Amino acid sequence: MCDDCCCGTTRKHPGVDHAGIRDRLAAAVASTGGRSRDVDCLGVCERSNVVVVRTRHAGSFWIGEVLDEPIVVALDGWIRQGTPLPVPAEVAAHVFDRDASTKAETEPVAELVSLQRRSQR
Ligand code: FES
């Protein structure tokens, strides 16, 4: 779970127990024999409180907006069950495509560069 420039701060999310969420999910991971770790910014701060769940059977899942009890309970349960597929609807609603998020952020910049080059001719 990310915890760096903003996601874990009360300034951005007053009333969200970031450390408590992190501890609960870490306990879920530990119950499966897995490992968890805190990470710095994952570069998608707009998704706030981002959790990356890596599985052996289905790759990685990027899960955003892990901010309230319903998603924490759903994620906790899914992890404790060994992340079976299909992903439960409550968790799936928070899964996002990390590559698509990066692409969406970089495309306007590429377009801006392209326009600047055209105008310099
Ligand atoms: S601090 Fe969470 S993605 Fe940046």
Side-chain angles (χ1 to χ4, degrees):
M1 182 175 201
C2 65
D3 188 3
D4 193 25
C5 56
C6 58
C7 294
T9 65
T10 54
R11 176 179 36 88
K12 185 172 183 179
H13 297 294
V16 173
D17 181 7
H18 189 89
I21 293 172
R22 183 182 58 228
D23 291 347
R24 285 172 66 183
L25 296 179
V29 170
S31 77
T32 68
R35 292 178 299 142
S36 64
R37 63 187 175 110
D38 296 336
V39 294
D40 293 338
C41 180
L42 293 166
V44 283
C45 301
E46 73 278 10
R47 301 284 184 168
S48 281
N49 277 20
V50 177
V51 173
V52 181
V53 177
R54 291 189 173 139
T55 71
R56 289 192 182 127
H57 58 282
S60 296
F61 295 87
W62 287 67
I63 302 163
E65 295 160 351
V66 182
L67 295 166
D68 57 23
E69 191 66 13
I71 180 59
V72 173
V73 168
L75 190 50
D76 181 287
W78 183 56
I79 292 170
R80 287 181 186 276
Q81 293 169 18
T83 61
L85 298 178
V87 177
E90 299 87 355
V91 175
H94 289 256
V95 172
F96 66 95
D97 182 341
R98 171 66 173 91
D99 294 332
S101 289
T102 302
K103 187 176 181 184
E105 290 172 11
T106 58
E107 280 178 344
V109 174
E111 179 66 16
L112 175 62
V113 171
S114 173
L115 289 172
Q116 286 175 336
R117 286 189 180 148
R118 248 185 265 147
S119 66
Q120 290 172 353
R121 291 182 185 164

